Amino acid sequence: MDPPAAKRSRGCPAGPEERDAGAGAVRGRGRPEALLDLSAKRVAETWAFEQVEERFSRVPEPVQKRIVFWSFPRSEREICMYSSLGYQPPEGEHDARVPFTRGLHLLQSGAVDRVLQVGFHLSGNIRELGGPGEPERLYHVSISFDRCKITSVSCGCDNRDLFYCAHVVALSLYRIRHARQVELRLPISETLSQMNRDQLQKFVQYLISAHHTEVLPTAQRLADEILLLGSEINLVHGAPDPTAGAGIEDANCWHLDEEQIQEQVKQLLSNGGYYGASQQLRSMFCKVREMLRMRDSNGARMLILMTEQFLQDPRLALWRQQGAGMTDKCRQLWDELGALWVCVVLSPHCKPEERVSWLQLLGKWDKLDVCPLEEGNYSFDGPSLQPTVALSPGLEEEEEEEEEAAAAGSRHTVFGRALQAGSLHWSDAHLQRILASDSYGPSLTGTMGSEKPTFDPQGRPLWLGEPFPTACARVDTLRAHGYPRQALRLAGAIINTLRLQRRHQLESYKQQKKELLQKGNTCITNTEGWVGHPLDPIGCLCRALLEACRLEEETLTLYPDSGPEKRKTAYQHVPVPGSPGESYLALALEVALLGLGQQRALPEGLYAQDKVVRSEEQLLSLLEEVELDERLVQVLRKQAGLLLEGGPFSGFGEGLFRESVPMHTCARYLFMALLPHDPDLAYRLALRAMRLPVLETAFPAGEAHPNPLDSIMSNRFPRWFILGHLETRQCELASAMLTAAKGDPKWLHAVLGSIQQNIHSPALLFKLAQDACKTATPASAPPDTTLLGIALELGLQVMRMTLNTMTWRRREMVRWLVSCATEIGPQALMNIMQNWYSLFTPVEAATIVAVTGTTHATLSRLQLDAARREELWACARTLALQCAMKDPQNCALPALTLCEKNRAAFEAAYQIVLDAAAGGLGHAHLFPVARYMEQRGLPLRAYKLATLALAQLSIAFNQDSHPAVNDVLWACSLSHSLGRHELSAIVPLIIRSIHCAPMLSDILRRWTLAAPGLGPLGARRATKPLGADRAPLCQLLDAAVAAYIATSHSRLTHISPRHYGDFIEFLGQARETFLLAPDGHLQFAQFLENLKQTYKGKKKLMLLVRERFG
């Protein structure tokens, strides 16, 4: 394909015909340019100087000078492109890190001098101030150029960087801006040809004298070779001239330091885990696109160098060996690399031999084991764009076809799309006419003699016969290579085709709608989506269309977003030629909604699914930059209506495939955009989009998943890796509708019904309930009772769904529900108390609901009169008693506490405790209730509960740290204070329940001390000390002595030497207890003698016993 005439697009560097910015100063403004200059410009751009010399036997010196003059680059944008990476450095580092800016400062400060142009060679000195205390530095810069491109550079700074240094920039900008002030000479060979023999000899001798230390050995070697008649140098005609420009066969491209590019990419890949490294690599990709847009052959060269380094990344082999996927950042870079190669290979103006060489390289890379595979199950031979599309087969047939395709499919790497693009061409006559004219129509060519239609019924051109992503790749390629007008023309033809296809789809669906809905058939019409596709077809079309509508200053800006605040992109309506009433801006909106609303199956793989979400968000961020006017609102309305009517072709249609990508994110944008203009349509669209079909088929409406507070378990739906994210987006859509519907009961109830039917995650339902409650109760306005009721209803649903799933969030949920019911009023609060069985556990109801619902703060908030307050209290007491009956272990004490102000309720609660104790209520629950009774001034009830607890307690001989020790001591103290009768009754219980000798002796010692206590009627009195040798304590003393004897034997059975000291101390405690008896001294001596005889083999231990006790 012959390259179309290039036109400059907004924000792009100047084309060849506009490169007169600096050099144009040589002629007065408004004066016509001389024919010599016009001709010299064109020759300087396209012909090597050697070609000029061969074509014409004699070229006049003025003509030579003008050609040499115009051969230097004329656009500062080109210098900028090769001296700035394009990423925005940190704040305050613009000058320090960007050579173009530094070079500009050097030029403006007068640092450039002694500039000389000899033929196609430019040289000069750059003076740069040193740091504090450092002298001024002088750098000599040399630049070679040819056909308006810099072909080599040399600078005394020896800076090794990716692009030109600041000194090269300063000299280049000086030559562009002050072209007339530069001393200009013809190539040195032309000057030498004008000298006679004596002049030449004098020239050479002076040159050698000036630089004898550097050139003398070389000069002598050349002289020897020239004097030798048969030498190689004498066989060559002429001599090299570095100032005469490039030869005819030499490549005409800008200077690019290949070694430095490779080193830079290698270093950035080694730092791949850092955000800055990924950003710089993306900036290098942007630089490649910039070069392609300038039709600079270095774009492909640079991409080759980058690709080779990407493939040499050692992490690729490691990931492959470990069977692990690469990081998301790395995968995104590979995606961009593959997309760029599609643009390069599909170039409309490259030479055939260039394309062949690229395809050979791609084929070699494609076969490498480490070459990453393309993510997702996207086909390489998808359906072509057709004017009609039939409904696809049912789900089972579709799955069978997918399996067959997968079995027959080959290995597809990230370069597969580029290799496939190698078979595409631009020679189709219909395509050429689409690209060539805005007014191409059937009146000019008819139907081109083809079987497929080439125009729609309105006479607008169509582009059929190849897959939609491939057609969009052509648009991206045209835009990338600097053909913006042609890209727009092809984009228009593709959109015309999509419109026609959609019209036929709707007609086909309407004919079969009744049958499909009756059968409940959910077929998928697009097994692969356009949003998230490796070729990003929708994004390509949208960006091409929006770029044509962008308003921005045409100034040289390195950092478009470097101002104090990021400037919002402004767009304007640009008419579409040949389509009255249409604009590119409206087309961009239509295409984006067409892609976002497409019903499509979710691709396979985590990264591919994540890419779908990311692509959706990127498209919507583009749309959010567009300010909607009445014209665009009409487009929104029309597209929303078509999406609702689209059936199985639309993600908003009535028939939805089980594994279709949900529409929540797109619907939220449409809802917010349409709400001010058409609320009815906005709600209908958003409510339709609330569906999440993959969950609808798994769980009936309102039923929770296996782990309700989390997303669906991965083993249930192994392909849906991003289900949690999708559920969150569904919740955000519902929240937006609830907020917008405030004050409108009709839509509030409609939204509530949709939420209850479609959202299956209790955690998200709870968030919605919280958001609704917050929205319904603004600080400076009366509450919205309808919205509050909906918040409460959602909260109740969460309670029911999570009743059997205990999590740390339940307490938060229960407290919130009580506060929400309080906001509504006392009746709502009493309702949840009366229906607590289906909402709360007994513990939650007794300790949170009943308590929180009757606090002083709650009662003050409700502002109830005495009767209503008592009604609420009665409801709470009834709740507490019911909970105590259902779960006495955990709810008895809270019930007693809540009922203590009502005698009848308190007695009922106490009876529940007694009944539970008879039924096996443990000591761990009885002791706290007993202590509570004592605190309430009911010691006899406390004593009774304590005895019931002791009856169920058992403390072994070695359990002196038993958790009930303090409770037992408290019970003994209580019985001691009540009197001798109670003490006598509790002693047998103590003896039966406690077998721990130290504990028994402690109790005995406490009871032998005089202590104040309470009489049977609560009167304070002083109790007399009790004797350990008299009833009732004599039984306890005998039990303690027996426990010490049994414990001693038990410990001696398996005692080790390191425990001898502890045992001696234990015997000391035993002696103190023995001595409480009248004959205790004798009993203890007999006990020791028995030990000595029984364990006489433990000589060391018995020796210690004798030393201590005799």
Side-chain angles (χ1 to χ4, degrees):
M1 169 186 174
D2 295 331
K7 294 187 179 179
R8 184 181 180 190
S9 62
R10 291 181 176 83
C12 297
E17 65 278 355
E18 297 183 47
R19 297 175 181 171
D20 306 340
V26 300
R27 64 182 187 277
R29 188 176 294 275
R31 289 173 52 192
E33 197 166 5
L35 182 60
L36 173 60
D37 278 320
L38 290 172
S39 304
K41 273 187 187 181
R42 188 58 61 188
V43 170
E45 289 173 4
T46 56
W47 283 25
F49 194 68
E50 182 185 11
Q51 188 176 1
V52 176
E53 292 178 317
E54 286 187 359
R55 179 74 179 271
F56 305 99
S57 58
R58 180 179 176 278
V59 182
E61 184 175 323
V63 176
Q64 290 188 48
K65 281 192 171 183
R66 297 321 291 165
I67 293 174
V68 170
F69 177 86
W70 289 112
S71 290
F72 195 82
R74 305 166 211 162
S75 169
E76 293 186 10
R77 281 190 175 274
E78 293 173 322
I79 306 301
C80 175
M81 180 170 70
Y82 279 92
S83 57
S84 61
L85 188 56
Y87 66 89
Q88 183 176 344
E91 187 70 23
E93 295 188 16
H94 289 188
D95 293 345
R97 294 186 59 178
V98 183
F100 183 84
T101 309
R102 290 178 54 213
L104 191 58
H105 290 166
L106 288 172
L107 173 66
Q108 294 170 345
S109 62
V112 184
D113 65 353
R114 301 191 66 180
V115 181
L116 172 66
Q117 179 179 342
V118 180
F120 296 86
H121 183 86
L122 182 71
S123 62
N125 291 339
I126 310 295
R127 299 182 182 277
E128 187 173 22
L129 294 176
E134 295 181 3
E136 182 183 68
R137 288 170 290 187
L138 179 66
Y139 300 106
H140 181 72
V141 181
S142 298
I143 298 175
S144 297
F145 52 91
D146 174 53
R147 284 169 276 184
C148 300
K149 295 181 178 69
I150 292 176
T151 55
S152 68
V153 297
S154 174
C155 181
C157 70
D158 293 327
N159 181 46
R160 298 290 293 169
D161 200 356
L162 194 60
F163 296 113
Y164 303 159
C165 67
H167 315 110
V168 171
V169 172
L171 181 60
S172 302
L173 294 180
Y174 185 92
R175 172 61 178 78
I176 292 173
R177 295 188 179 187
H178 309 291
R180 271 296 184 189
Q181 300 175 23
V182 176
E183 188 177 356
L184 177 64
R185 296 286 184 271
L186 289 177
I188 193 67
S189 55
E190 293 293 327
T191 305
L192 294 176
S193 66
Q194 299 173 18
M195 298 181 184
N196 58 30
R197 183 190 177 284
D198 292 338
Q199 291 172 322
L200 282 172
Q201 184 168 357
K202 181 177 289 189
F203 170 78
V204 172
Q205 289 183 217
Y206 267 96
L207 181 63
I208 293 173
S209 176
H211 302 284
H212 65 279
T213 57
E214 291 90 359
V215 304
L216 188 57
T218 304
Q220 185 61 57
R221 178 176 58 79
L222 291 175
D224 292 343
E225 289 187 17
I226 289 174
L227 292 175
L228 188 63
L229 295 179
S231 65
E232 184 179 353
I233 198 171
N234 286 321
L235 299 177
V236 178
H237 177 69
D241 180 2
T243 67
I248 299 174
E249 301 299 328
D250 292 342
N252 179 229
C253 58
W254 286 78
H255 169 71
L256 194 67
D257 191 335
E258 297 187 359
E259 181 182 345
Q260 191 59 29
I261 287 176
Q262 291 173 320
E263 186 61 32
Q264 184 89 354
V265 175
K266 182 179 180 180
Q267 182 180 355
L268 291 173
L269 286 172
S270 66
N271 298 329
Y274 298 99
Y275 176 75
S278 298
Q279 285 296 97
Q280 291 193 44
L281 286 168
R282 285 194 177 89
S283 296
M284 294 180 74
F285 287 142
C286 291
K287 186 61 65 178
V288 171
R289 284 190 176 272
E290 190 179 349
M291 292 175 176
L292 294 179
R293 188 164 59 246
M294 298 284 289
R295 325 262 176 85
D296 186 343
S297 60
N298 277 341
R301 283 178 61 201
M302 184 171 174
L303 189 59
I304 290 172
L305 297 171
M306 293 183 69
T307 306
E308 289 173 343
Q309 290 303 311
F310 265 72
L311 287 166
Q312 292 173 20
D313 187 349
R315 294 178 298 172
L316 293 178
L318 182 64
W319 286 328
R320 184 173 182 272
Q321 182 181 3
Q322 296 176 344
M326 64 176 67
T327 62
D328 281 356
K329 288 180 183 177
C330 193
R331 169 58 67 183
Q332 291 171 28
L333 291 171
W334 275 100
D335 282 354
E336 292 185 43
L337 188 68
L340 266 176
W341 270 114
V342 173
C343 287
V344 169
V345 171
L346 201 51
S347 168
H349 59 250
C350 70
K351 299 175 182 177
E353 56 270 21
E354 287 180 320
R355 178 176 290 191
V356 169
S357 67
W358 294 333
L359 290 174
Q360 287 175 346
L361 277 174
L362 288 167
K364 181 182 75 173
W365 296 333
D366 184 75
K367 292 180 175 65
L368 295 176
D369 291 336
V370 296
C371 186
L373 301 180
E374 182 181 279
E375 289 282 341
N377 52 330
Y378 296 98
S379 67
F380 272 60
D381 299 308
S384 300
L385 281 171
Q386 299 294 339
T388 59
V389 175
L391 289 172
S392 64
L395 175 60
E396 294 180 1
E397 296 177 20
E398 190 70 33
E399 288 180 346
E400 288 175 4
E401 291 179 8
E402 287 182 7
E403 290 174 4
E404 291 173 5
S410 58
R411 173 178 176 267
H412 295 308
T413 70
V414 292
F415 300 123
R417 305 278 171 183
L419 286 167
Q420 188 184 39
S423 62
L424 302 175
H425 58 83
W426 298 87
S427 58
D428 183 88
H430 180 56
L431 177 60
Q432 286 280 353
R433 288 183 172 87
I434 290 174
L435 300 179
S437 171
D438 290 321
S439 57
Y440 175 44
S443 58
L444 300 178
T445 60
T447 60
M448 303 289 298
S450 172
E451 294 181 1
K452 61 184 180 183
T454 51
F455 300 96
D456 66 6
Q458 288 76 35
R460 294 173 298 196
L462 304 174
W463 179 239
L464 303 167
E466 65 184 12
F468 172 71
T470 305
C472 294
R474 289 184 184 272
V475 175
D476 190 40
T477 300
L478 289 168
R479 179 169 163 261
H481 286 275
Y483 300 103
R485 296 305 310 168
Q486 290 76 9
L488 289 174
R489 289 166 185 157
L490 181 55
I494 294 171
I495 293 170
N496 294 337
T497 310
L498 289 178
R499 285 173 169 172
L500 185 62
Q501 180 174 291
R502 175 190 263 192
R503 188 155 59 244
H504 288 296
Q505 286 174 348
L506 289 175
E507 292 173 0
S508 172
Y509 172 61
K510 287 176 181 177
Q511 293 173 2
Q512 305 177 48
K513 179 178 180 180
K514 186 175 181 181
E515 179 184 354
L516 289 173
L517 293 179
Q518 284 178 347
K519 291 181 178 179
N521 186 22
T522 54
C523 57
I524 186 68
T525 56
N526 297 288
T527 54
E528 58 183 46
W530 296 336
V531 176
H533 191 280
L535 293 177
D536 189 21
I538 298 295
C540 292
L541 284 183
C542 283
R543 283 188 289 271
L545 295 165
L546 288 174
E547 187 179 57
C549 307
R550 187 178 295 127
L551 284 172
E552 62 182 9
E553 298 178 7
E554 297 204 15
T555 56
L556 186 63
T557 304
L558 283 176
Y559 312 107
D561 301 330
S562 59
E565 292 184 1
K566 184 175 179 179
R567 185 178 58 185
K568 186 176 180 180
T569 308
Y571 296 97
Q572 63 178 348
H573 285 283
V574 176
V576 179
S579 299
E582 288 194 345
S583 74
Y584 289 123
L585 193 57
L587 288 184
L589 181 60
E590 180 180 342
V591 165
L593 296 179
L594 188 66
L596 290 167
Q598 177 199 32
Q599 183 175 165
R600 57 202 184 270
L602 191 72
E604 293 179 358
L606 171 59
Y607 177 76
Q609 294 177 13
D610 184 65
K611 188 176 180 181
V612 168
V613 173
R614 191 169 59 251
S615 299
E616 280 186 351
E617 292 171 350
Q618 289 170 354
L619 271 175
L620 289 171
S621 67
L622 281 176
L623 296 185
E624 286 167 356
E625 291 180 352
V626 179
E627 293 186 6
L628 297 176
D629 55 18
E630 186 58 35
R631 195 170 175 182
L632 294 178
V633 169
Q634 292 304 318
V635 174
L636 276 180
R637 282 178 168 168
K638 180 180 178 181
Q639 295 305 313
L642 291 172
L643 287 172
L644 287 172
E645 299 169 3
F649 300 97
S650 166
F652 295 86
E654 292 178 87
L656 202 60
F657 177 55
R658 176 180 177 271
E659 297 202 8
S660 292
V661 176
M663 297 287 110
H664 308 133
T665 310
C666 173
R668 188 170 185 271
Y669 165 79
L670 286 171
F671 176 76
M672 300 305 294
L674 285 169
L675 190 63
H677 310 284
D678 193 340
D680 184 72
L681 179 60
Y683 279 108
R684 286 196 296 119
L685 192 78
L687 290 171
R688 179 74 66 81
M690 278 291 292
R691 299 170 298 183
L692 190 52
V694 72
L695 294 184
E696 290 173 11
T697 55
F699 306 108
E703 188 174 312
H705 7 102
N707 191 2
L709 289 183
D710 301 321
S711 296
I712 203 70
M713 297 174 69
S714 59
N715 59 352
R716 291 290 301 272
F717 300 100
R719 290 186 61 240
W720 285 69
F721 299 103
I722 58 168
L723 188 56
H725 177 84
L726 297 177
E727 288 184 292
T728 302
R729 290 290 178 264
Q730 182 187 36
C731 176
E732 290 172 356
L733 172 61
S735 181
M737 286 194 288
L738 280 176
T739 303
K742 180 182 177 182
D744 189 334
K746 169 193 168 185
W747 287 120
L748 278 175
H749 287 99
V751 174
L752 173 63
S754 179
I755 290 171
Q756 292 175 325
Q757 179 181 356
N758 295 297
I759 296 185
H760 304 278
S761 169
L764 296 177
L765 283 171
F766 181 56
K767 183 181 184 305
L768 280 175
Q770 288 179 304
D771 293 346
C773 185
K774 187 176 180 180
T775 304
T777 54
S780 57
D784 185 311
T785 55
T786 307
L787 189 54
L788 263 178
I790 285 175
L792 181 64
E793 182 60 35
L794 290 174
L796 295 174
Q797 182 175 347
V798 172
M799 291 296 102
R800 286 189 287 267
M801 293 170 71
T802 60
L803 180 58
N804 298 319
T805 308
M806 288 296 99
T807 72
W808 61 271
R809 294 205 67 185
R810 275 283 298 188
R811 295 183 66 84
E812 175 194 356
M813 293 174 174
V814 173
R815 287 194 181 95
W816 175 87
L817 189 69
V818 174
S819 66
C820 182
T822 304
E823 290 291 337
I824 295 175
Q827 191 58 50
L829 194 54
M830 287 189 285
N831 284 340
I832 65 171
M833 289 184 182
Q834 292 165 356
N835 298 289
W836 71 271
Y837 284 104
S838 61
L839 301 172
F840 315 109
T841 64
V843 175
E844 291 169 344
T847 61
I848 302 178
V849 178
V851 173
T852 308
T854 54
T855 59
H856 177 72
T858 302
L859 295 174
S860 300
R861 173 77 175 166
L862 293 172
Q863 298 179 347
L864 303 176
D865 56 25
R868 291 286 285 171
R869 181 172 294 196
E870 180 54 34
E871 185 182 359
L872 181 60
W873 267 108
C875 191
R877 288 193 292 267
T878 302
L879 165 65
L881 292 174
Q882 291 173 346
C883 293
M885 292 180 67
K886 192 170 183 66
D887 185 5
Q889 292 92 337
N890 299 306
C891 300
L893 186 56
L896 285 166
T897 305
L898 199 68
C899 297
E900 60 187 15
K901 293 182 180 179
N902 185 282
R903 183 175 180 82
F906 188 80
E907 291 298 327
Y910 177 61
Q911 188 59 44
I912 290 173
V913 175
L914 294 179
D915 294 343
L921 187 62
H923 63 84
H925 300 100
L926 285 170
F927 275 126
V929 178
R931 285 175 178 263
Y932 165 79
M933 286 297 184
E934 186 196 28
Q935 292 170 1
R936 299 304 303 163
L938 302 168
L940 292 179
R941 291 190 176 186
Y943 173 77
K944 181 174 181 59
L945 292 172
T947 57
L948 291 173
L950 284 171
Q952 299 189 30
L953 179 65
S954 177
I955 299 179
F957 72 92
N958 58 350
Q959 289 184 303
D960 47 350
S961 59
H962 192 282
V965 167
N966 289 330
D967 289 325
V968 172
L969 295 177
W970 167 81
C972 293
S973 176
L974 175 66
S975 63
H976 191 189
S977 67
L978 288 175
R980 190 181 186 90
H981 177 72
E982 285 77 8
L983 185 62
S984 299
I986 206 172
V987 167
L989 289 174
I990 295 292
I991 295 173
R992 186 166 60 248
S993 301
I994 300 171
H995 308 284
C996 178
M999 192 172 175
L1000 288 171
S1001 63
D1002 188 18
I1003 295 170
L1004 182 64
R1005 196 172 297 106
R1006 287 169 183 261
W1007 278 348
T1008 57
L1009 300 175
L1014 292 174
L1017 299 178
R1020 301 286 297 185
R1021 63 178 179 81
T1023 58
K1024 296 179 180 180
L1026 298 174
D1029 57 338
R1030 295 192 299 272
L1033 297 189
C1034 61
Q1035 298 174 359
L1036 185 60
L1037 177 59
D1038 293 342
V1041 169
Y1044 271 114
I1045 294 173
T1047 304
S1048 297
H1049 286 290
S1050 177
R1051 292 182 66 172
L1052 285 171
T1053 303
H1054 302 291
I1055 195 169
S1056 62
R1058 72 173 183 270
H1059 294 134
Y1060 286 174
D1062 294 338
F1063 183 73
I1064 297 299
E1065 292 300 321
F1066 179 75
L1067 287 181
Q1069 297 173 11
R1071 182 173 63 177
E1072 294 176 3
T1073 303
F1074 273 77
L1075 293 178
L1076 292 175
D1079 58 346
H1081 187 273
L1082 181 61
Q1083 290 184 41
F1084 186 69
Q1086 291 175 350
F1087 169 57
L1088 288 181
E1089 187 61 30
N1090 185 23
L1091 289 181
K1092 293 173 186 177
Q1093 292 298 324
T1094 306
Y1095 302 100
K1096 58 185 177 181
K1098 301 183 184 296
K1099 296 180 180 180
K1100 185 176 181 180
L1101 176 59
M1102 293 303 109
L1103 179 63
L1104 292 174
V1105 170
R1106 290 190 185 93
E1107 289 177 356
R1108 176 75 179 269
F1109 302 106

